[in-house]
Amino acid sequence: MMRPARQDDNMVTAIENPGLNLDWLNLETDEEFDIKAGRKGVTLQSINQRMAGIEGVDQADWRSFAPRGIEADPRSNAHARQYRDKGDVWSESAMLLYEEALQRQWSSARDIPWDTIGDQPDDIEKAMCTLCTFLTQVEFIAGDVPGRFLESVHPDFFESQLFLGTQLMDEARHLDVFRKRVLVNGGGMSPAGLGAVGLLAIDDFTEMTAILHLFAEGLVQSLFRMGELIGQNEAEKRMFRLSAQDESRHLAFGVTHTKYTVETQPWRKEELHHYLDINETVQNTQAGLTTNPITGEALAVLAGGGIEYLDEGYNLVMLMRKKQINEYYHRLQVVGLGDRLDRMSPDMRELITV
């Protein structure tokens, strides 16, 4: 069907109809939005260089659902739970971490060589299943907690929201891969520990990143690195290696967010110390990765190479524990909380090598 001819196809002509408003077709702007794809494609950074960058945006005008750069409709619904201050949710690395997360997604179904597990001694198999049962529970909570804050990030700071979306996908995959390891070789589930269920009571974004990323996930990352070392086959080594790769992004987000908060809202330092005062005690004694009796024993069996080498295994577990705490203290120094050493939980402080 042929369309009716017009005088000039390049000109939007007025339509005499009171029910239509085509002013949006006649917007005049000096901006050039012809953005070329670079070596990494069209990234958030390349878009922000040309239009609606984050520089100079320290506070959102009002609570709305219009992302940065879009003129919000004044009639739109307000969102009572949104954070309007940039310092409450921002991370300088969010854009890079988001792009990296997109590039480095992996599949627990296809990218783990499950056929390399083979027959395992009963104590080794049961120990690995016990460890992975614990991690299945941990990773469920690690995804649930940041998921609660997605709607609270103001659209002006959407990069942080996008990154948290990738973290949810990462944690879902970790839960998936560790559950598969528990069941794929006949070992089966073990009794669950307490888990870090206290994290579900967190009610503030910065509290969440300080406790979940800065503290808890840092301990998990050290455990994943040890998991690659003590893995008995390529399937186990790879699942821990890939999970640690993901966890590094989560840590980087938490460190850069907390650092930004301390730099722009220095009055919150004591608040952050208070969060850590509570969680160093609770998480360290109730749900700690090596102080949890069941998990600690399983780690020792795996690290030693069998139940008959339990003493050697515990020595390696304590070396990992020392590494966990020293890496945690290093993160505190990076974000501007290096003065925490004097008030750190005593059983953690004694492991610090300054």
Side-chain angles (χ1 to χ4, degrees):
M1 179 184 294
M2 297 182 60
R3 64 179 175 85
R6 296 189 305 186
Q7 291 182 345
D8 186 351
D9 280 347
N10 296 319
M11 179 178 67
V12 177
T13 58
I15 299 177
E16 295 181 1
N17 188 320
L20 297 176
N21 181 350
L22 300 179
D23 290 347
W24 56 274
L25 289 174
N26 301 310
L27 293 177
E28 295 182 1
T29 177
D30 295 329
E31 294 284 352
E32 294 286 342
F33 296 139
D34 185 18
I35 298 171
K36 305 297 184 183
R39 182 172 60 86
K40 297 182 178 180
V42 177
T43 64
L44 291 178
Q45 293 93 321
S46 60
I47 291 292
N48 280 350
Q49 288 175 4
R50 303 299 298 274
M51 184 264 187
I54 191 64
E55 293 77 11
V57 182
D58 295 322
Q59 187 178 70
D61 290 336
W62 69 79
R63 294 178 174 89
S64 73
F65 293 93
R68 188 176 68 247
I70 299 176
E71 184 178 350
D73 190 323
R75 301 169 300 175
S76 61
N77 294 339
H79 193 312
R81 284 183 53 84
Q82 282 177 344
Y83 291 99
R84 291 179 57 205
D85 289 336
K86 182 180 177 182
D88 289 333
V89 297
W90 184 249
S91 162
E92 294 288 1
S93 64
M95 286 182 284
L96 287 171
L97 294 172
Y98 170 72
E99 299 289 354
E100 179 187 319
L102 295 184
Q103 298 291 330
R104 305 188 79 172
Q105 295 294 304
W106 52 277
S107 166
S108 66
R110 298 189 306 271
D111 296 328
I112 306 298
W114 295 110
D115 58 348
T116 66
I117 295 178
D119 292 333
Q120 301 291 325
D122 290 344
D123 55 346
I124 294 293
E125 177 67 21
K126 191 59 178 179
M128 181 57 72
C129 290
T130 297
L131 174 60
C132 289
T133 297
F134 173 77
L135 290 174
T136 299
Q137 183 181 12
V138 166
E139 297 301 86
F140 180 88
I141 297 172
D144 204 26
V145 173
R148 296 173 53 234
F149 290 90
L150 281 175
E151 66 171 358
S152 302
V153 178
H154 194 283
D156 273 5
F157 315 119
F158 63 85
E159 290 90 342
S160 292
Q161 188 180 56
L162 292 179
F163 172 76
L164 289 182
T166 68
Q167 180 174 346
L168 266 62
M169 187 62 204
D170 291 344
E171 306 295 10
R173 188 171 54 250
H174 297 174
L175 182 159
D176 172 36
V177 76
F178 292 125
R179 182 177 178 85
K180 285 177 178 174
R181 176 58 190 92
V182 170
L183 300 174
V184 75
N185 207 37
M189 292 288 181
S190 296
L194 290 174
V197 292
L199 291 171
L200 298 176
I202 292 174
D203 198 38
D204 175 77
F205 190 97
T206 299
E207 179 187 5
M208 181 266 292
T209 55
I211 295 173
L212 178 64
H213 297 122
L214 200 65
F215 180 71
E217 292 212 286
L219 306 187
V220 171
Q221 186 195 46
S222 299
L223 179 59
F224 286 167
R225 289 172 176 165
M226 184 178 184
E228 183 178 2
L229 176 67
I230 64 179
Q232 306 295 307
N233 47 74
E234 182 56 28
E236 293 169 358
K237 290 181 180 297
R238 190 175 299 180
M239 74 178 184
F240 282 114
R241 181 166 62 248
L242 292 174
S243 296
Q245 170 185 293
D246 295 339
E247 213 74 11
S248 295
R249 290 193 298 272
H250 310 164
L251 280 180
F253 178 84
V255 166
T256 51
H257 167 65
T258 310
K259 185 175 186 291
Y260 188 85
T261 300
V262 170
E263 290 174 349
T264 60
Q265 301 175 351
W267 58 88
R268 299 192 69 181
K269 287 185 66 175
E270 182 56 33
E271 175 190 345
L272 289 167
H273 278 305
H274 176 65
Y275 296 146
L276 296 173
D277 285 341
I278 297 172
N279 280 272
E280 282 180 7
T281 300
V282 174
Q283 302 295 342
N284 191 45
T285 57
Q286 292 187 8
L289 298 174
T290 56
T291 53
N292 180 302
I294 298 175
T295 309
E297 291 170 4
L299 275 172
V301 170
L302 292 168
I307 196 168
E308 66 270 28
Y309 304 111
L310 205 56
D311 289 344
E312 293 90 333
Y314 266 116
N315 288 335
L316 290 174
V317 170
M318 288 310 299
L319 286 175
M320 184 204 71
R321 182 61 173 166
K322 188 173 183 179
K323 183 175 177 62
Q324 283 180 319
I325 304 308
N326 279 274
E327 289 176 343
Y328 167 57
Y329 181 54
H330 175 68
R331 290 191 294 274
L332 292 173
Q333 292 175 302
V334 170
V335 304
L337 296 176
D339 56 342
R340 172 145 197 87
L341 186 59
D342 292 337
R343 60 195 291 177
M344 189 178 290
S345 175
D347 58 339
M348 296 174 65
R349 186 172 60 243
E350 67 182 14
L351 298 177
I352 299 292
T353 55
V354 181

